Amino acid sequence: MAANSLVLPIVLWGRNAPTHCISTLLVVDGLATIVTGCHDGQICLWDLTSDLEISPRALLFGHTASITCLSKASSGRDKQYIVSASESGEMCLWDVSDGRCIEFTKLACAHTGIQFYQFTIGTQREGRLLCHGHYPEIFVVDATSLEVLYSLVSKISPDWISSMSIIRSHRTQEDTVVAVSVTGILKVWIITADVSRMQDTDPIFEEESKPIYCQTCQSISFCAFTQRSLLVVCSKYWRVFDAGDYSLLCSVPCENGQAWTGGDFIAADKVIIWTEDGCSYIYKLPASCLPASESFRSDVGKAAEGSIPPLLYNVLDRKDKQLLICPPVTCFFYGRREPFHKLLLQGDSAGRLSIWSIPDTPKQQQIGSSIEELAVTTSTSLQEAFDTLIHRPAGIIDQLSVLPGAEEPLKVTASVYIPSHGRLVCGREDGSIVIVPATQTAIVQLLQGEHMLRRGWPPHRILRGHRNKVTCLLYPHQVSARYDQRYLLSGGVDFSVIVWDIFSGEMKHIFCVHGGEITQLLVPPENCSTRVQHCVCSVASDHSVGLLSLRERKCIMLASRHLFPIQVIKWRPSDDYLVVGCSDGSVYVWQMDTG
């Protein structure tokens, strides 16, 4: 590679850690790394010491949408690979040791769960990924190439799969995949060594299909301790089934208006179940649920009132009760190698990771005594990690943003990089917009030298027009060459969209058509009508969408009858339709030319 063609990415974080609203998490087998995926599409690697201290190591960029699931993709200690999937159907294979993306693919459907499955052919071990999600089958994917090899399909009542578990058999060469569909039907597939070798073959049909009436299934777990029980957690109740014939052994409803979101076995006779508000409960199962007990299956067929209920042992709760944007994500990890930790991990929308170490023998509860609460063993967040650094990370325009007498620089609230002009545009919380040469600005923050002493360096231009915080920036020519390369657009909390001339710094036009702060600025696709092609689309917090014509300098359409916040905008140019998706699940279809 020629020296002048080397591209070196540089990150300037600033004093505030990036947002990391955790959507899924995974513990890598050696217990040295925790992986978290977030709704912004980034993945964070956290180092975990033997004393259970956590520190963030790297942020991995590669997805364009929210991370829906993570899974390990290798079993050896020599190479530690993980796979991630996003809402837009992307799948990435990562090397945990250095953060490299090894493989990438994109499917037309989104995965909501992935499990790693390994089998042996002769002396060779091969890995497969079993994926389920918003489609009516389970895809079997090669763990190294991310290629779909074959699928597990339902003959009877095919539907989306809510959750699945792989039951490994040590006695026979057959493994079982047990899954629960969104309609509460339990499906069973048998995977033999011959099936595992197959590639690009006909689909495998289920061996068994049985309604177990578990709608809104959140998770399904096989008991590794007894090899005989299945735990199915639904939002309203959790149930234990016999893995032999799927008979119901016990059922516990959710109380106090909470909703269960998952669970797992922590011992042969104990389960841990967690709720959407971040609380977890340890239960001791009755003798009728334990294969080693003489009374095993004694309650099968009895009414729920006549059976002995599981006993609540411990409660694990978050120590900080701050209001979260979305429910925390919880998972249980049991180390199969030294050290044999039993850990409950939780990640929340504030980028905080918490760990509880679960003792092997929780204290026996005395009848009538209050239930003991287990304290958090360790907890940290990205912001706390940033605050402990000796040298605070530099922001890209900190040198130009410290006002006289202020301790903290003005916050950058929106930014856009324009590679064709080598310019970086930053909108700030006071409504001003700063245009700087990107390379020189990075040098100022990263390299010591005489430039540090020069006031007003690097050379820059400040645009003033918004009365308060700038919320979004768009340089439309970067998306499509049909737009004039002079135009830069900015939206603010003052309800306005301003068109700027990026070369002269002149304000060309102000659009004031919305009744709320501007949340997004978008470019319509190429094949829209000629009139719409010269527009940009603006979305505001008053649930309105506007088409703003840069050529006519007016709003040609304002769609404002939506009852809920707008989440997504899609286009159907052939029919001249603009499609608006709202947070309550409703969809509005607007004709662009007529409004």
Side-chain angles (χ1 to χ4, degrees):
M1 185 187 277
N4 61 355
S5 66
L6 180 66
V7 176
L8 182 67
I10 291 173
V11 178
L12 288 156
W13 293 116
R15 299 174 186 217
N16 296 314
T19 55
H20 193 65
C21 178
I22 295 172
S23 56
T24 179
L25 55 84
L26 169 76
V27 182
V28 179
D29 269 358
L31 202 66
T33 309
I34 298 170
V35 187
T36 55
C38 77
H39 286 292
D40 293 336
Q42 290 98 50
I43 293 167
C44 187
L45 303 181
W46 307 70
D47 286 332
L48 182 64
T49 66
S50 54
D51 300 328
L52 302 182
E53 291 298 318
I54 329 165
S55 59
R57 168 161 55 98
L59 267 179
L60 312 182
F61 290 78
H63 287 285
T64 60
S66 174
I67 309 291
T68 52
C69 50
L70 294 163
S71 167
K72 67 174 188 176
S74 64
S75 64
R77 283 197 167 185
D78 49 332
K79 59 175 188 180
Q80 289 201 322
Y81 291 170
I82 61 158
V83 68
S84 57
S86 77
E87 273 180 358
S88 57
E90 302 156 335
M91 281 180 85
C92 292
L93 183 70
W94 306 90
D95 187 334
V96 173
S97 58
D98 58 8
R100 280 181 310 129
C101 181
I102 299 160
E103 195 62 64
F104 171 86
T105 189
K106 187 166 182 179
L107 298 173
C109 44
H111 306 310
T112 54
I114 300 177
Q115 286 199 29
F116 178 71
Y117 170 75
Q118 192 181 43
F119 64 95
T120 308
I121 300 177
T123 55
Q124 272 196 317
R125 290 182 142 198
E126 288 206 30
R128 298 282 185 264
L129 300 167
L130 272 65
C131 310
H132 66 88
H134 298 161
Y135 43 88
E137 64 231 293
I138 294 174
F139 288 133
V140 181
V141 175
D142 187 280
T144 47
S145 67
L146 301 186
E147 204 182 332
V148 178
L149 302 176
Y150 57 94
S151 55
L152 309 179
V153 181
S154 299
K155 260 185 186 170
I156 303 160
S157 313
D159 216 325
W160 291 3
I161 300 295
S162 291
S163 190
M164 71 170 177
S165 182
I166 301 167
I167 301 177
R168 306 302 301 259
S169 171
H170 300 295
R171 295 188 297 275
T172 66
Q173 290 299 300
E174 293 182 349
D175 295 327
T176 310
V177 175
V178 180
V180 178
S181 73
V182 289
T183 48
I185 294 175
L186 184 127
K187 304 275 181 184
V188 181
W189 289 268
I190 304 293
I191 298 184
T192 60
D194 295 335
V195 168
S196 300
R197 290 191 194 97
M198 298 196 311
Q199 295 192 10
D200 302 321
T201 59
D202 295 333
I204 310 299
F205 291 106
E206 79 267 50
E207 290 286 319
E208 192 174 340
S209 186
K210 176 181 179 177
I212 56 167
Y213 310 106
C214 290
Q215 277 86 3
T216 64
C217 173
Q218 303 293 319
S219 76
I220 177 169
S221 316
F222 177 61
C223 181
F225 304 96
T226 64
Q227 305 273 316
R228 189 68 200 269
S229 311
L230 270 179
L231 171 68
V232 178
V233 180
C234 302
S235 51
K236 295 277 194 294
Y237 44 79
W238 60 266
R239 289 174 172 171
V240 177
F241 291 87
D242 182 347
D245 60 359
Y246 310 109
S247 304
L248 178 63
L249 301 179
C250 76
S251 179
V252 176
C254 202
E255 294 172 3
N256 308 327
Q258 294 180 337
W260 302 121
T261 53
D264 209 335
F265 288 93
I266 60 169
D269 62 341
K270 292 183 191 71
V271 294
I272 186 164
I273 317 287
W274 45 88
T275 64
E276 66 179 357
D277 65 355
C279 219
S280 301
Y281 301 89
I282 295 175
Y283 288 90
K284 182 175 169 64
L285 297 174
S288 59
C289 294
L290 309 177
S293 162
E294 288 180 3
S295 1
F296 180 54
R297 291 175 62 95
S298 59
D299 288 344
V300 171
K302 279 190 190 175
E305 305 82 52
S307 57
I308 301 167
L311 176 69
L312 181 59
Y313 250 69
N314 296 96
V315 177
L316 293 72
D317 204 357
R318 292 186 302 121
K319 64 178 181 184
D320 58 325
K321 285 293 187 180
Q322 70 179 89
L323 198 63
L324 298 173
I325 305 166
C326 49
V329 180
T330 310
C331 82
F332 173 71
F333 177 80
Y334 170 49
R336 302 290 198 276
R337 307 184 186 114
E338 286 275 356
F340 298 105
H341 283 302
K342 289 182 181 177
L343 303 177
L344 187 80
L345 294 94
Q346 193 172 92
D348 66 26
S349 57
R352 175 170 294 282
L353 198 54
S354 305
I355 296 179
W356 288 262
S357 182
I358 297 172
D360 273 335
T361 50
K363 286 182 188 171
Q364 178 68 48
Q365 292 302 317
Q366 302 299 319
I367 293 168
S369 67
S370 61
I371 291 155
E372 187 191 7
E373 189 170 312
L374 285 180
V376 175
T377 308
T378 184
S379 175
T380 192
S381 68
L382 276 183
Q383 188 57 55
E384 283 175 15
F386 268 52
D387 293 341
T388 56
L389 295 172
I390 299 163
H391 299 291
R392 298 286 291 278
I396 189 75
I397 57 167
D398 278 3
Q399 188 155 337
L400 305 174
S401 296
V402 180
L403 300 177
E407 286 183 21
E408 293 282 323
L410 279 170
K411 279 185 186 167
V412 173
T413 52
S415 64
V416 63
Y417 174 48
I418 307 171
S420 55
H421 304 308
R423 292 282 185 274
L424 179 72
V425 184
C426 298
R428 300 190 291 189
E429 61 183 338
D430 67 342
S432 62
I433 296 168
V434 184
I435 303 175
V436 289
T439 314
Q440 287 172 319
T441 308
I443 287 169
V444 167
Q445 303 300 348
L446 296 173
L447 304 177
Q448 296 286 327
E450 58 182 43
H451 58 262
M452 297 293 285
L453 307 171
R454 287 165 61 182
R455 186 170 172 76
W457 180 263
H460 59 281
R461 170 175 272 140
I462 296 181
L463 313 178
R464 297 191 186 277
H466 289 286
R467 291 187 201 146
N468 213 315
K469 184 172 79 171
V470 178
T471 52
C472 44
L473 290 164
L474 175 70
Y475 183 59
H477 181 76
Q478 193 159 291
V479 184
S480 172
R482 68 178 186 263
Y483 292 97
D484 192 320
Q485 60 177 342
R486 291 174 302 166
Y487 289 156
L488 169 77
L489 281 89
S490 61
V493 293
D494 56 3
F495 308 175
S496 69
V497 176
I498 300 180
V499 183
W500 305 90
D501 185 321
I502 201 167
F503 300 127
S504 68
E506 184 188 348
M507 187 193 294
K508 289 291 187 186
H509 189 72
I510 302 183
F511 292 99
C512 293
V513 297
H514 294 286
E517 69 175 78
I518 312 302
T519 56
Q520 290 182 74
L521 291 170
L522 307 162
V523 170
E526 297 281 350
N527 46 352
C528 287
S529 67
T530 314
R531 194 179 185 206
V532 173
Q533 278 190 25
H534 291 92
C535 295
V536 293
C537 173
S538 55
V539 182
S541 63
D542 67 336
H543 317 161
S544 64
V545 182
L547 285 178
L548 313 177
S549 175
L550 303 185
R551 189 162 65 177
E552 300 172 43
R553 303 276 169 90
K554 69 176 187 182
C555 174
I556 65 164
M557 187 195 93
L558 186 67
S560 59
R561 290 183 202 156
H562 312 110
L563 300 176
F564 288 86
I566 293 163
Q567 278 193 329
V568 66
I569 301 286
K570 297 284 183 184
W571 310 85
R572 193 155 154 193
S574 56
D575 295 321
D576 190 43
Y577 288 162
L578 171 77
V579 185
V580 179
C582 297
S583 62
D584 68 329
S586 60
V587 174
Y588 294 77
V589 182
W590 295 84
Q591 192 146 30
M592 289 185 274
D593 271 349
T594 63

